[in-house]
Amino acid sequence: MTGDRVYLGAVDVGGTKVAALVTGIDGEIVARKEEALCTEKGDFLLQQDEDNERSVAWYGPASQIEGMLHRMMEEEGIDALSGIGIGSAGPLKSGAIKNPPNFAVSIPAGMPPSPLYVPLVEPLERAFRAPVTLENDCNTAVLGEAYFGVGGDVPDKESLHLVYVTMSTGLGGGVWSGGHLLLGKEGNAAEIGHILVKENGLRCGCGNDGCAEAYCSGRGIEQNARLHLVNNGMRAQSLLLDLLEEEAGKKGTPKQRSRWDLLGFITPQIVFSAAEEGDEIARGVIDDFIHYGGIVLSAIANAYDPAVITLGGSIAVNHPEIVPPMRSEMCKHLNVSSPEVRITPLGKRAVEYGAIVLAQRARG
Ligand SMILES: [Zn+2]
C-alpha cells in the first residue's frame, strides 16, 4: 500500500551491527530489520581521496544497507524512499566512514591497507535516487532524544537544552542547545570521552592518559579490572576470578590454561556482577566508573548548562543503578544549577530515532 504516502529510511551503523527502518514522514515505524554487520562481502575500489592520497573504498556496508531497505520496501509494497538518514560510528569524512577502528574487514592483497573509506552517502543516493544524510552516532542520538525521547512532547525545540551521553564500549556525547545540534569546526563538538579527568591516569584508546573514557566505558572497565587483578598477582581469593573461571569454562577453553588467561574473559557484565556480590576489586573498578563518570558529567553540565543529561549505551541502559551515585558526584563540582540526569527513554535505539530525524531533514 503506497498511495501518495511519503516514506523514509533510517539506519544505525554500529561496529558490529546494522539496524534499518522504513518509516512514515512523521517517524511512525513501518518496518525494521537488524543484522550483524557483514565484513566479508562488498566491492573494493582503489581511489584518490581529497588529499590526493591513494585509498581504498569498500562498498560492503552500503550494499548491505541497500539490501535491507529494499527487502523491507518490497515486503511492504513501497516504491520509493524520499530521504535516508544514517547515524554511524565515526570517524566520518566526505559522506563516508574513514578508517573505522572497529570493523574487522580484510582488504584485498595489492591494495593499500589505509586509508580505508566506507562510502555511504553517494552509493545510497545512487541506489534510491533520494537525498542521504550521514551524521556521527552520538550527534544522531541527541537528535533522537530531542524529537522522540525526553524532548518528544516538547513542541518548542528551542526551549530544549539537553546532552545525550553514551556509555558503551566507549564514551561519547551529543549536545542539543536551544533549537539546534551543537557542531564544531569538524562536526566533533562533544568528544566528551576524552575530557581529562585524572592527570597521569589510565591510558585511553586515543593514546592519552587519564581521559574519562579510560574509566567510564566498557573498554575502561575491562582495562581497569585487568590492571587491578595483575597488580595483586592474580592471587587474591576473589569472586571476580571465580566468575572468570566459570566464563572460561562455558567457552570450553582447556582446563590446563593458566590463571593469567582468565584476563581475556573480563567483560563489563562480569565486573558488575562481581561488584554486586561484594567483590572488592570489582567494586573498586565500578566505583572508579561512577566517580570519573560524575566528574565528566560535571564538566558537561558546567560547559553546556543543559536541563537534562540522558544516559544511553548498553552499560547505562543495563545498569540504571549507576545514576544516583554518579549524579551525587557530579553535584560536588557544579557552578550551574544541577541538570536532571536520567537513563534515555529510547533504550538502545536512540541512534535509530535520530536517523529518522536526519531522514526528515534530508528530504527537506
Ligand atoms: Zn582519550
Side-chain angles (χ1 to χ4, degrees), residues 18-252:
V18 183
L21 296 86
V22 171
T23 78
I25 189 68
D26 295 321
E28 63 281 14
I29 294 168
V30 176
R32 178 181 184 275
K33 281 192 194 298
E34 184 174 326
E35 294 180 359
L37 178 76
C38 176
T39 51
E40 275 139 36
K41 287 188 196 150
D43 298 332
F44 290 87
L45 280 183
L46 267 176
Q47 61 170 23
Q48 301 280 97
D49 69 14
E50 282 174 349
D51 308 322
N52 232 1
E53 217 176 344
R54 242 165 64 104
S55 61
V56 177
W58 173 47
Y59 287 87
S63 51
Q64 182 175 6
I65 292 166
E66 184 190 337
M68 290 168 80
L69 289 172
H70 269 144
R71 277 199 303 284
M72 285 186 283
M73 288 165 69
E74 207 174 291
E75 284 158 16
E76 301 296 330
I78 293 168
D79 306 323
L81 299 176
S82 301
I84 297 171
I86 307 170
S88 169
L92 305 180
K93 196 173 181 194
S94 314
I97 314 172
K98 185 181 179 187
N99 294 330
N102 304 320
F103 288 12
V105 57
S106 355
I107 294 161
M111 290 192 163
S114 89
L116 173 73
Y117 285 83
V118 183
L120 296 173
V121 171
E122 181 272 326
L124 291 168
E125 284 192 336
R126 197 161 15 96
F128 292 92
R129 293 196 201 97
V132 177
T133 301
L134 172 68
E135 186 53 77
N136 86 44
D137 47 3
C138 294
N139 285 340
T140 306
V142 79
L143 283 177
E145 200 68 275
Y147 285 85
F148 294 98
V150 294
D153 295 333
V154 181
D156 174 16
K157 301 301 177 200
E158 285 187 21
S159 69
L160 275 179
H161 299 272
L162 64 92
V163 179
Y164 173 90
V165 173
T166 180
M167 295 174 170
S168 55
T169 313
L171 177 70
V175 182
W176 178 271
S177 186
H180 65 272
L181 184 63
L182 206 61
L183 292 171
K185 65 188 188 310
E186 290 172 11
N188 303 322
E191 282 292 330
I192 58 148
H194 306 286
I195 290 176
L196 181 73
V197 291
K198 188 181 186 188
E199 240 179 327
N200 304 316
L202 288 179
R203 177 63 48 94
C204 177
C206 74
N208 290 328
D209 293 335
C211 295
E213 184 174 286
Y215 298 91
C216 192
S217 68
R219 220 171 5 230
I221 289 175
E222 289 172 16
Q223 172 179 247
N224 206 353
R226 221 171 278 136
L227 194 74
H228 278 82
L229 286 170
V230 168
N231 283 349
N232 82 13
M234 306 284 286
R235 282 186 304 269
Q237 264 308 320
S238 156
L239 181 75
L240 179 55
L241 285 174
D242 295 346
L243 289 176
L244 291 174
E245 285 277 7
E246 206 179 292
E247 182 70 11
K250 269 193 240 160
K251 299 255 163 80

